[in-house]
Amino acid sequence: MPLIVVTTSPRVAPGLLSHHAWQVLREGPVRTGSAGHPHLPHLEEAGVTVEVVEPDPAALVREARDGTVVWLGADEALMRAVGHAALALDDPPVIEVVPGSYDLPGGRLLDLVEVMDRLRTNCPWDAKQTHESLAPYLLEEAYEVLETIEEGDHAALREELGDLLLQVAFHARLARERSAGEGGFDIDDVADGIVAKLVRRHPHVFADVKVTGAEQVGDNWEAIKAAERAAKNDGDAGSVLDGVPMGQPALSLAAQLIRRAGRVGAPDGLLVDPEAAGDDLGARLFALVRRAHEAGLDPEAELRATARRYRDRVRAWEAEETGEA
């Protein structure tokens, strides 16, 4: 006879169980070690009796040799003890695990929200942070993500994306402490906003718009953005440069300005020609960014790649000088 362990996910609404789980729970007898198990009210409503007992691994496996026993919940320590108790018997019962509910994609994000709540409430450092005090960490984590991508370190990318995700969750948790009138919002508002934007800007996926390729997708995206700007400004579409963050690194800033201006056909000569720039270093640098754009290159990435090569060569030179090569 088996000992059947029914597992459930805390990230799925109580009462939502698999068909197999309902079958074994109705066949019983059912035991659990938690009087506060969230599924108990739903099982009671469905006519399933669950006995709350003090977990006794040895008694469970002995009883399961004589008849089926269903255990609701799977504490890791308990299951390890049950396994040891079963191995100690000459004729151990079969132990079967029946998943009652599975984590949905994105379910672990709920854990992040819960952990962030506890940190904000119980950790002195987290409790005193503000949007302003966290800003340097947001930039730092974003650059660390960029570095793992440039180095092709996909294992590290997972961790760095987690650090960046923490910053999003942290800022949303801070904003939740303000009222709506004071610009307050929560993580669900953040997710809702980006979902709505993605659906709105992808009518070829979520509506009946037809496209012939990625270029047309980009054109549609810009047209929708222009319409959104006009809606926000009482019909005034504003400038194509609206929304460009001027605080970003200068190379990527210049590249984004050039890219945006090109969409409305702005002429190249709006800034002095590099040949006539003389000592205007900024104009000459801007012209180099424009050349990179025309060549289909990312000037920020190109300069970063050169900087990495320079770093490696300096380190090699240092090693040679100190005899450590």
Side-chain angles (χ1 to χ4, degrees):
M1 295 294 182
L3 169 61
I4 303 177
V5 180
V6 177
T7 63
T8 59
S9 169
R11 303 167 196 88
V12 176
L16 297 179
L17 294 171
S18 66
H19 177 67
H20 190 191
W22 275 114
Q23 281 184 316
V24 299
L25 287 167
R26 287 195 169 99
E27 292 170 0
V30 185
R31 313 270 168 70
T32 187
S34 173
H37 196 291
H39 284 271
L40 294 185
H42 302 277
L43 293 173
E44 181 180 1
E45 183 180 2
V48 176
T49 300
V50 181
E51 182 183 3
V52 180
V53 299
E54 185 69 26
D56 186 338
L60 271 176
V61 295
R62 285 197 303 269
E63 183 181 359
R65 288 192 306 180
D66 302 323
T68 299
V69 178
V70 180
W71 183 265
L72 178 63
D75 176 82
E76 184 177 347
L78 174 63
M79 293 310 301
R80 190 180 300 112
V82 165
H84 289 314
L87 291 174
L89 298 177
D90 293 332
D91 183 24
V94 173
I95 300 176
E96 179 184 355
V97 177
V98 174
S101 55
Y102 300 86
D103 280 347
L104 300 174
R108 291 288 179 176
L109 294 175
L110 299 176
D111 292 349
L112 176 58
V113 173
E114 181 181 357
V115 167
M116 195 64 253
D117 280 342
R118 292 190 62 181
L119 291 176
R120 181 64 174 171
T121 303
N122 299 318
C123 173
W125 187 89
D126 291 278
K128 73 176 186 178
Q129 299 309 307
T130 64
H131 293 300
E132 291 74 19
S133 68
L134 289 175
Y137 300 104
L138 178 61
L139 287 173
E140 178 182 332
E141 301 300 352
Y143 279 121
E144 289 183 2
V145 169
L146 178 60
E147 183 174 7
T148 61
I149 292 173
E150 291 175 342
E151 294 181 351
D153 190 346
H154 294 162
L157 177 60
R158 172 185 173 181
E159 179 180 352
E160 297 303 341
L161 284 173
D163 292 341
L164 185 59
L165 180 60
L166 169 61
Q167 296 302 310
V168 176
F170 207 152
H171 281 279
R173 179 60 178 80
L174 298 184
R176 201 182 81 187
E177 298 169 9
R178 301 191 297 269
S179 67
E182 296 174 320
F185 54 85
D186 60 20
I187 192 68
D188 288 315
D189 295 321
V190 174
D192 180 67
I194 189 59
V195 167
K197 179 184 291 185
L198 290 173
V199 170
R200 189 170 62 247
R201 293 187 183 179
H202 290 80
H204 56 286
V205 175
F206 300 101
D208 56 0
V209 172
K210 304 297 182 183
V211 295
T212 57
E215 184 175 351
Q216 191 174 357
V217 170
D219 292 341
N220 288 346
W221 179 283
E222 294 305 322
I224 294 169
K225 283 179 63 177
E228 290 170 354
R229 288 197 300 269
K232 288 181 180 179
N233 298 309
D234 297 325
D236 181 4
S239 169
V240 71
L241 302 183
D242 289 346
V244 174
M246 299 300 289
Q248 63 183 297
L251 277 178
S252 57
L253 170 61
Q256 187 174 6
L257 290 171
I258 290 170
R259 190 165 57 248
R260 289 277 193 100
R263 292 171 185 163
V264 294
D268 293 348
L270 291 179
L271 197 65
V272 64
D273 185 277
E275 302 301 329
D279 294 332
D280 190 341
L281 179 60
R284 297 204 302 274
L285 289 173
F286 198 91
L288 286 174
V289 174
R290 182 181 296 283
R291 290 175 184 172
H293 173 71
E294 292 170 351
L297 300 174
D298 179 348
E300 184 79 18
E302 294 296 319
L303 185 56
R304 288 175 62 84
T306 300
R308 287 197 302 276
R309 291 197 300 272
Y310 179 71
R311 174 202 61 189
D312 294 341
R313 291 176 183 178
V314 169
R315 287 176 175 173
W317 173 81
E318 287 176 323
E320 289 178 1
E321 290 294 306
T322 58
E324 296 178 0

